[in-house]
Amino acid sequence: MPFYLGFDSSTQSLTAQIIEVDDVHTSARLVWESSLNFERDFPAYGTRRGVLPSADPRVAEAPPAMWAQALDVMMARVAASGLDLSKIAAVSGSAQQHGTVYLGDEGFTRDRSPIWLDASTRAECAEITRALGGDDAAAQLTGSRVFERFAGPQIRKFWKTSPEAYARTRRIHLISSYLCSELLGADAALDAGDGSGMSLMALASNDWLKAALDATSPALGPKLPAIVPSDTVLGTLAPKWRERHGFPAAAVVAWTGDNSSSLVGTGLVEEGTIAISLGTSDTIFGPMREPRVSANGEGHVFASPIGAFMGITVFANGSLARERIRDDYGLNWSTFRRALLATPPGNDGGLMLPWFVPEITPHVPRPRVRRRHLEEHEAARNVRALVEGQMMAMANHSRWMGVGVSTIYATGGASRNSDVLQVMADVFGARVFPSPVGNSACLGAALRAWHAHARARGRPVAWPAIVGDLTTPDPSSVVTPNPAAVKVYERLSHAHQQFEQELI
Ligand code: XUL
C-alpha cells in the first residue's frame, strides 16, 4: 500500500507526515509524523519564533536558508524512520503564505526573506493600488485589496530599496514553490492557491495579471514561476534525495499555501463548511463556489486547491498574542486554561484589543494593546479578555464570507485546548469539532499528494473519499455552545466592535 509524504513549513516549525493509503478500499491512516522547531533546532540562524529580530516592529523577515536546511534535516529523519521508503509514491507540501525567496545565478540575492508578518510596505501597497484603479478594482481583479504582507508589495519594496540585487534576481519564488524546487532539484511552478496571495495574479484566469506586474517592478514577468493548478505533478524527487537518503523517484506535486492546504486537511470540500485555524496566525476560512469579494476589504478570495475558491480572513495576533499573555503573566498552558475556567463568559465586560504585533484584521499598522473595564494586573481576566477578544474579532470580521455558521472545524495548536474551543462555540453559537489529526496543513499536503498522484495515473479519487478517513471528527469530541453564554456574547460583540472602531 503506497505512502504519501506531506510537509508544512510554517512560521515557527517544519512538520512532516506520512499517510498510508489502501487503494482498493480508498482508506487512509497516519503512519508517521515529526516536527522541527526553527528557534530550538536551528539556533545558528538567530530567529525568535522563526522570525529574525528587527528594530522596526513593522519589518518581519526570516532566513530562507533555514527553511531549506530544515527540509534537508527532515528528509534525513524520514529516511531514518524505519519505514519502507520505496513505498513513497508522491510528495507535496505547504508553507506559510506570502513570503518571497529571491534567487540569482549564485544562490540567494537576499538572505532575509520578508514573510507574512511584515507590515512595512504601506507606500508600495498604495502605489500598486493606485495603478490598478483603487481598492475595489484591485479586489475584483485579484481577490483581495493590496495587503502589506502580500508578495507584490514586498517585491516592489525590494526593487526600490535594492535595485542592483533586484536586477541580479533571476527567480522570485513564494516559500511554497521555493521548497518544492528543493525537492525537485529544479525550478518549481507555483500553485494558483498560493499565487492568489501576491496581488499579482488574476483570479478569473489564475494567470499573471499584466497590469499588476507592471505596477510592481520592472521586468518582473520573467522572474516569476509559471502558475499551475494545485493538483499538478511537477516531476520526481531530485537524484540528490535518492543518493543522500535512498528515496525513490516519487512524484512531486505542486506545493500550496498553508491555509489552502488546511482546507483539505480539515476536510472542507463543500461550501457552507468553515474552519478556524489557531496557529501563529488565526484564520477563518471555507470553500466558495463563486468569488464573493468582501466589500470593505477585510478578507481574501483565494483559488482553492480543490477547485473554485476559498474565502479567508486572517488575524496576525493569534498564537503570538496567546504566548505573549501566557509569558507576561508567568503562566503555562495548564494555568492558562485554569484562568479561563476561573472567569465567567463575558468577563464582566472586561475587553482587550490584543495587537501585540501589527494587526491585519482590522488594519492596525503599529502594535498596541488596549484594555477596557480591565486592569493590567488581573491575570485571569486578561487571559479571558484575550481569548474572547480574538473570537469576537473573528466572528465580526468574517460576516462578509456569507456562510451561516452552525459547525466549525478547529485546527492549529490552540485547538487542543477545549476551554478555548468553548469560547469559540459560545461566541459563534456553533458546534465546534477539533480536527482529529493535528496540523491540518501538513495532513492536507499528504492528502493532496494522494489526490494528484491518483489523478495523474488515470485513477482519480473524489475529494470526499480522499478526506473521509482522516478528517472526519470523532463525534464525542464536539464542543457545544452554551445558550446562556451565547446571549452574553451577542451583547458583548457589539461593545467589542465599538471599542475596535474607536481605536482605528
Ligand atoms: C494568510 C496568512 C497567514 C500565513 C501564516 O493570508 O498571512 O495565515 O499563511 O502561515
Side-chain angles (χ1 to χ4, degrees):
M1 288 191 288
F3 288 155
Y4 294 96
L5 169 59
F7 292 99
D8 176 52
S9 180
S10 73
T11 314
Q12 305 199 41
S13 55
L14 174 72
T15 302
Q17 290 177 347
I18 296 177
I19 59 171
E20 181 176 46
V21 164
D22 178 343
D23 280 332
V24 181
H25 303 99
T26 26
S27 63
R29 67 189 185 101
L30 182 67
V31 292
W32 188 83
E33 176 166 19
S34 180
S35 222
L36 289 161
N37 179 281
F38 295 136
E39 181 181 330
R40 188 191 57 221
D41 298 323
F42 301 92
Y45 291 96
T47 67
R48 179 97 181 87
R49 297 188 169 123
V51 186
L52 289 164
S54 156
D56 182 343
R58 292 168 304 179
V59 171
E61 296 170 326
M66 176 183 76
W67 300 323
Q69 197 194 338
L71 185 65
D72 203 357
V73 171
M74 187 57 89
M75 286 293 269
R77 278 197 186 178
V78 175
S81 65
L83 293 169
D84 178 358
L85 297 188
S86 71
K87 286 171 65 180
I88 299 178
V91 183
S92 190
S94 68
Q96 53 170 314
Q97 298 195 248
H98 314 298
T100 35
V101 178
Y102 299 76
L103 295 167
D105 289 329
E106 282 150 36
F108 299 117
T109 55
R110 180 175 184 180
D111 54 13
R112 301 168 71 108
S113 282
I115 64 161
W116 68 276
L117 279 161
D118 193 277
S120 69
T121 60
R122 200 167 186 180
E124 290 75 20
C125 289
E127 289 155 3
I128 297 170
T129 302
R130 210 172 310 127
L132 290 178
D135 280 332
D136 291 346
Q140 290 301 333
L141 288 166
T142 68
S144 304
R145 290 187 183 182
V146 184
F147 276 75
E148 284 163 307
R149 69 193 192 285
F150 278 29
Q154 290 177 1
I155 294 169
R156 181 167 176 79
K157 183 180 161 199
F158 184 53
W159 166 66
K160 279 165 65 180
T161 53
S162 311
E164 187 268 333
Y166 175 83
R168 276 189 289 114
T169 303
R170 189 183 46 77
R171 177 63 82 228
I172 303 176
H173 275 295
L174 286 181
I175 302 168
S176 60
S177 58
Y178 166 61
L179 291 174
C180 185
S181 306
E182 287 290 311
L183 291 182
L184 273 175
D187 241 351
L190 183 68
D191 100 294
D194 217 12
S196 313
M198 301 178 82
S199 293
L200 291 172
M201 192 189 93
L203 197 64
S205 61
N206 287 353
D207 204 351
W208 299 116
L209 176 66
K210 186 174 180 309
L213 301 193
D214 292 347
T216 299
S217 56
L220 179 55
K223 298 187 197 289
L224 296 170
I227 302 175
V228 294
S230 300
D231 56 2
T232 306
V233 174
L234 296 174
T236 55
L237 281 177
K240 75 169 180 190
W241 301 112
R242 284 176 248 161
E243 288 151 18
R244 259 188 231 170
H245 303 299
F247 279 95
V252 175
V253 175
W255 284 39
T256 190
D258 51 3
N259 291 291
S260 314
S261 201
S262 265
L263 188 86
V264 175
T266 47
L268 299 194
V269 293
E270 299 284 347
E271 177 160 336
T273 48
I274 203 144
I276 290 181
S277 169
L278 303 174
T280 303
S281 61
D282 283 351
T283 59
I284 175 164
F285 54 84
M288 257 185 191
R289 269 188 291 273
E290 299 295 332
R292 288 189 302 277
V293 175
S294 76
N296 58 5
E298 288 174 318
H300 319 297
V301 181
F302 292 159
S304 158
I306 57 166
F309 304 93
M310 64 183 281
I312 173 165
T313 309
V314 181
F315 302 81
N317 285 281
S319 285
L320 289 175
R322 287 183 288 273
E323 287 164 12
R324 259 305 268 281
I325 289 286
R326 178 198 63 189
D327 298 345
D328 286 357
Y329 291 96
L331 305 171
N332 53 40
W333 289 129
S334 130
T335 46
F336 187 96
R337 284 185 79 157
R338 231 175 289 149
L340 269 181
L341 286 173
T343 45
N347 210 22
D348 298 317
L351 294 173
M352 181 193 290
L353 299 176
W355 300 322
F356 292 93
V357 294
E359 182 48 69
I360 295 164
T361 317
H363 184 239
V364 181
R366 285 196 179 270
R368 52 188 162 151
V369 176
R370 292 288 184 275
R371 294 170 171 85
R372 179 164 286 174
H373 308 306
L374 176 69
E375 299 298 329
E376 198 171 342
H377 64 85
E378 301 173 291
R381 293 188 74 227
N382 272 268
V383 170
R384 179 163 280 279
L386 168 71
V387 175
E388 291 185 341
Q390 290 178 319
M391 297 304 162
M392 289 190 287
M394 256 192 282
N396 286 334
H397 293 291
S398 59
R399 294 220 173 82
W400 69 272
M401 288 162 68
V403 186
V405 185
S406 59
T407 303
I408 297 170
Y409 297 90
T411 179
S415 69
R416 283 191 295 267
N417 182 331
S418 57
D419 302 300
V420 169
L421 298 191
Q422 186 64 56
V423 180
M424 185 187 286
D426 294 343
V427 168
F428 282 86
R431 298 182 308 164
V432 176
F433 288 100
S435 268
V437 173
N439 202 325
S440 55
C442 192
L443 176 63
L447 294 172
R448 288 180 52 252
W450 172 17
H451 181 263
H453 182 246
R455 193 173 152 271
R457 284 187 311 160
R459 302 224 297 269
V461 182
W463 279 114
I466 295 267
V467 301
D469 271 345
L470 287 166
T471 69
T472 306
D474 170 2
S476 71
S477 67
V478 67
V479 180
T480 46
N482 165 348
V486 173
K487 282 225 162 57
V488 171
Y489 291 121
E490 276 166 14
R491 283 193 306 274
L492 199 65
S493 281
H494 292 292
H496 183 268
Q497 203 167 15
Q498 228 166 10
F499 188 23
E500 232 187 52
Q501 274 158 9
E502 282 166 30
L503 275 173
I504 300 167

